[in-house]
Amino acid sequence: MPQIPEKIHELTVGQLSARSGAAVSALHFYESKGLISSRRTSGNQRRYSRDTLRRVAFVRAAQRVGLPLVTIGEALAQLPEGRTPTREDWARLSENWREVLDERIHQLVRLRDNLDHCIGCGCLSLKACALSNPDDTHGDHISGSRL
């Protein structure tokens, strides 16, 4: 991983890409969604503050666990401007996601435990499916293939 001297306070998009592991196109996308920001030089080139590395790492980690970009953006909006977020800042944000992640883990465990049955059962029934409709909870509200 290329090292960037401490005296450099702003990164080019190429440096940010190399250090973060995110493609340049992904960085531009994150910027278009307001997840990161840059300033423009007189030559219209993007320059990112060093703390953007942590923000990109945060975005990528949150995406890996399946959090939507809107949720990630809401969290990043709570971070301080003008300083590198602290460990406490990140801990506060991640604590807010604990319930969402716990539910996702529960769903993945249920998928893992029922997958062998589901592949072999061939029921093609959303009414009886242990994964899509456990205990026919949707049967009281809707019918058909709207699940």
Side-chain angles (χ1 to χ4, degrees), residues 103 106-111 113-115 117-118 123 125-142 147:
E103 176 57 28
H106 174 73
Q107 290 170 352
L108 288 170
V109 168
R110 192 173 77 220
L111 173 64
D113 293 347
N114 291 301
L115 192 58
H117 169 72
C118 188
C123 72
S125 168
L126 292 178
K127 182 176 182 180
C129 181
L131 294 176
S132 296
N133 190 15
D135 303 319
D136 191 22
T137 55
H138 299 296
D140 295 335
H141 307 290
I142 60 174
L147 293 176

Side-chain angles (χ1 to χ4, degrees), residues 1-143:
M1 181 178 306
Q3 295 297 312
I4 299 170
E6 285 294 320
K7 64 182 178 182
I8 297 177
H9 299 290
E10 291 185 316
L11 309 174
T12 66
V13 70
Q15 289 170 323
L16 182 60
S17 174
R19 284 296 308 260
S20 69
V24 170
S25 59
L27 297 172
H28 291 167
F29 179 74
Y30 294 160
E31 190 169 357
S32 74
K33 296 298 181 185
L35 302 174
I36 61 175
S37 61
S38 67
R39 74 167 187 87
R40 298 292 185 136
T41 66
S42 59
N44 203 31
Q45 296 174 330
R46 289 178 168 94
R47 292 294 184 264
Y48 297 90
S49 63
R50 288 182 74 92
D51 70 302
T52 305
L53 279 168
R54 289 192 182 173
R55 290 175 187 263
V56 171
F58 183 77
V59 170
R60 294 183 59 157
Q63 283 184 300
R64 276 193 296 276
V65 297
L67 294 172
L69 287 179
V70 170
T71 303
I72 297 168
E74 290 168 353
L76 288 172
Q78 297 176 33
L79 290 177
E81 291 294 328
R83 72 168 169 85
T84 301
T86 63
R87 181 181 300 266
E88 291 77 24
D89 292 327
W90 295 120
R92 181 176 35 84
L93 293 179
S94 62
E95 182 62 33
N96 294 336
W97 292 342
R98 185 170 298 280
E99 185 176 320
V100 172
L101 294 175
D102 286 344
E103 176 57 28
R104 188 165 306 240
I105 290 167
H106 174 73
Q107 290 170 352
L108 288 170
V109 168
R110 192 173 77 220
L111 173 64
R112 181 202 63 206
D113 293 347
N114 291 301
L115 192 58
D116 58 341
H117 169 72
C118 188
I119 290 173
C121 84
C123 72
L124 300 177
S125 168
L126 292 178
K127 182 176 182 180
C129 181
L131 294 176
S132 296
N133 190 15
D135 303 319
D136 191 22
T137 55
H138 299 296
D140 295 335
H141 307 290
I142 60 174
S143 62

